[in-house]
């Protein structure tokens, strides 16, 4: 199987929907610290929001950014949620946090997302009992790891075409440690050797049973990158989970497919 056809390409793919919601008076820039790392993001709070409100944290995929997360603002605002969409440091070449993709790391992204959760647990305007994680593609893998590591802090988990297969597929691509080069280039994005070394023994499926709260997975049945088998396996492992399959959708949703996914999210959170 050629490199373009295996699941690890799922680290990149974002929604086909490109008409991003633009920042407004309801949106402000917000930097969150994680040790020496600074995470850039945008924090959305509905104009009519009062007091403590729940928050949805949106994790992008490989070479993505905070921009796509703006697409969630309107729907989540109608549900009474605030949102935080951000740039994983070293997660893309177009990134306000850090664009050095040679230092990209799944484990660093897990630590960064965990730091964001902890930040909002203490935020005076956030209902700390209702923190929702949304992860797309590689961000779905990271969100799954965070939910399993700190289950008491997450109320619901939403995974959009989650790339749970990243460790397995890269390990198949580089069967021996000695096979891993110093630089791997994927779609003009350079990645360092560390990325592949860290995921050699990473198995997200072994950790899933630790998260016992509601989980929603949304995936297209024509996704050539993330296997439906992995999503069904995850559904079986989580205690309270549902899978919604969008007919004809691939890895990344067209506008009407994204709208269908949002309807499923609304039903799930209500």
């Amino acid at each position: 199987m050629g490199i373009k056809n295996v699941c690890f390409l799922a680290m990149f793919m974002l929604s086909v929907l490109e008409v991003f919601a633009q920042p407004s008076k309801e949106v402000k820039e917000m930097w969150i610290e994680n040790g020496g790392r600074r995470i850039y993001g945008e924090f959305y709070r509905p104009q009519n929001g009062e007091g403590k409100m729940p928050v949805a944290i949106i994790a992008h995929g490989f070479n993505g950014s905070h921009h796509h997360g703006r697409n969630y603002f309107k729907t989540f605002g109608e549900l009474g949620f605030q949102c935080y969409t951000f740039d994983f440091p070293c997660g893309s070449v177009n990134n306000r946090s850090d664009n050095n993709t040679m230092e990209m790391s799944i484990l660093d992204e897990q630590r960064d997302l965990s730091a964001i959760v902890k930040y909002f647990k203490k935020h005076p305007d956030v209902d700390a009992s209702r923190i929702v994680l949304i992860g797309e593609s590689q961000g779905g893998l990271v969100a799954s790891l965070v939910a399993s590591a700190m289950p008491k802090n997450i109320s619901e988990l939403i995974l959009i075409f989650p790339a749970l297969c990243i460790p397995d597929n890269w390990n198949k691509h580089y069967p021996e440690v000695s096979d891993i080069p110093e630089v791997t280039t994927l779609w003009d994005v350079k990645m360092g050797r560390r990325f592949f070394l860290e995921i050699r023994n990473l198995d997200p499926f072994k950790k899933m049973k630790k998260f016992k709260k509601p989980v929603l997975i949304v995936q297209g049945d024509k996704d050539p990158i993330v296997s439906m088998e992995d999503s069904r396996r995850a559904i079986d492992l989580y205690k309270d989970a549902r899978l919604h399959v969008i007919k004809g959708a691939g890895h990344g949703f067209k506008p009407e497919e994204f709208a269908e996914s949002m309807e499923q999210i609304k039903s799930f959170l209500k």
Side-chain angles (χ1 to χ4, degrees), residues 38 58 60 139 146 151 180 231 234 245 270:
R38 298 186 72 231
I58 305 151
H60 66 74
V146 170
I180 304 172
S231 291
V245 179
K270 286 179 178 178

Side-chain angles (χ1 to χ4, degrees), residues 7 164-165 169 205 226-235:
C7 174
L164 302 169
C165 52
N169 279 275
F205 296 100
V226 174
S227 77
M228 191 66 66
E229 181 180 343
D230 280 347
S231 291
R232 291 197 174 105
R233 182 182 176 191
I235 291 297

Side-chain angles (χ1 to χ4, degrees), residues 109-232:
E109 291 190 2
Q110 179 182 349
R111 286 186 281 266
D112 289 334
L113 184 53
S114 297
I116 292 169
V117 171
K118 291 175 183 176
Y119 175 87
F120 282 113
K121 285 288 288 186
K122 298 179 180 179
H123 196 288
D125 294 331
V126 170
D127 175 359
S129 69
R130 196 86 191 276
I131 296 178
V132 177
L133 290 187
I134 304 170
E136 295 189 345
S137 199
Q138 179 170 304
L141 169 61
V142 175
S144 175
L145 294 172
V146 170
S148 297
M150 47 194 313
K152 293 181 179 179
N153 296 315
I154 309 302
S155 60
E156 291 102 350
L157 176 64
I158 299 171
L159 304 176
I160 309 297
F161 38 83
L164 302 169
C165 52
I166 286 173
D168 184 54
N169 279 275
W170 276 116
N171 287 338
K172 288 178 181 176
H173 187 67
Y174 295 134
E176 303 295 335
V177 170
S178 59
D179 295 327
I180 304 172
E182 291 300 319
V183 180
T184 295
T185 302
L186 177 63
W187 290 338
D188 297 324
V189 177
K190 295 184 182 300
M191 305 157 66
R193 194 165 187 262
R194 173 191 169 203
F195 181 98
F196 308 98
L197 289 173
E198 288 183 342
I199 62 174
R200 291 197 71 77
N201 297 312
L202 182 64
D203 185 349
F205 296 100
K206 285 185 177 179
K207 305 173 185 289
M208 288 178 176
K209 290 184 178 180
K210 294 180 181 180
F211 189 75
K212 303 182 185 301
K213 296 174 185 175
V215 178
L216 171 67
I217 300 178
V218 182
Q219 185 175 343
D221 65 355
K222 300 300 182 183
D223 192 327
I225 295 170
V226 174
S227 77
M228 191 66 66
E229 181 180 343
D230 280 347
S231 291
R232 291 197 174 105

